[in-house]
Amino acid sequence: SMIERGLRDVRLVVGDRCAGLVSTVNAMLPDARYQRCMVHFMRNVLSKVPPTHREWASAAPEAIFAMESRASALAKAEEVAREMESRRLKAAASCLREGIGETTTWLLDEYPPEHRRRIRTNNMIERPDREIRRRTRVVGSFPDGRSALMLVCARIRYVTANDWSSRRYLDMSRLGDTMQTTD
């Protein structure tokens, strides 16, 4: 159906740009789009800025992500990159230009505006990861991999059984509405 085709066209993978993630996504989900986590991207850009320019450099890109459309965000990013170059922050400008395309995927029209705030970062993945890390740090060292796996599985079962897991993070019915209006 038209909605099924539309849902297939809006597959999205959100990640932090770790080494093998993008190539794995391309191999396993060739029709999916990749959204680089906005927070991780900004950390990467700021890591190339000396402390004397950090205050300006951390505020300037926020204007990029405040834009309503992807075209205006990309235009603003180029403006910020030129300003960075004028302040002799060439490495930061280069990093910004290199990654801004995949960091603004969430602004594409295929994704409902109601979802945009949640799909621009990989917080939905990192929350369960923090819970697991919190529990495994208490134990310290495990006698073997099996005992570590048992603790991780127990924590995941707990998270999926409580109220936190039953809250709707994204209303997927909105995708059907978006596809019907664009086709």
Side-chain angles (χ1 to χ4, degrees), residues 159-179:
V159 167
T160 58
N162 72 23
D163 289 339
W164 179 74
S165 69
S166 64
R167 289 184 300 182
R168 184 177 292 186
Y169 196 77
L170 294 173
D171 181 3
M172 299 312 256
S173 67
R174 307 297 297 164
L175 289 175
D177 296 345
T178 303
M179 297 319 302

Side-chain angles (χ1 to χ4, degrees), residues 9-168:
D9 292 344
V10 296
R11 285 187 184 155
L12 181 70
V13 175
V14 182
D16 60 1
R17 192 69 158 130
C18 65
L21 180 64
V22 177
S23 62
T24 302
V25 167
N26 290 338
M28 302 300 286
L29 300 167
D31 59 337
R33 290 203 170 101
Y34 181 74
Q35 164 63 38
R36 185 174 182 178
C37 175
M38 186 179 78
V39 174
H40 285 92
F41 173 67
M42 290 312 307
R43 285 183 197 151
N44 291 350
V45 172
L46 291 176
S47 72
K48 306 201 178 333
V49 174
T52 54
H53 292 281
R54 190 106 358 113
E55 188 175 336
W56 173 84
S58 61
E62 288 179 13
I64 297 168
F65 299 115
M67 295 293 158
E68 299 275 329
S69 72
R70 188 164 191 248
S72 59
L74 294 174
K76 185 67 174 176
E78 183 54 36
E79 186 181 311
V80 170
R82 280 196 304 269
E83 177 67 23
M84 285 178 165
E85 286 175 336
S86 74
R87 294 175 183 239
R88 298 183 196 175
L89 303 172
K90 291 189 188 315
S94 175
C95 184
L96 178 64
R97 283 188 178 114
E98 177 189 317
I100 195 64
E102 66 188 7
T103 309
T104 54
T105 305
W106 60 279
L107 284 168
L108 290 169
D109 291 337
E110 293 92 86
Y111 303 108
E114 297 86 5
H115 288 190
R116 290 180 177 177
R117 186 174 63 84
R118 296 190 186 259
I119 64 174
R120 63 187 181 173
T121 68
N122 63 353
N123 286 346
M124 69 179 93
I125 300 163
E126 290 194 356
R127 170 79 163 99
D129 286 351
R130 275 196 310 272
E131 283 294 309
I132 291 167
R133 234 182 342 269
R134 188 170 68 86
R135 287 294 184 192
T136 55
R137 281 191 183 134
V138 171
V139 174
S141 64
F142 291 92
D144 57 21
R146 186 171 171 75
S147 60
L149 182 61
M150 285 173 43
L151 177 64
V152 169
C153 290
R155 194 64 198 160
I156 290 170
R157 276 195 304 271
Y158 172 76
V159 167
T160 58
N162 72 23
D163 289 339
W164 179 74
S165 69
S166 64
R167 289 184 300 182
R168 184 177 292 186

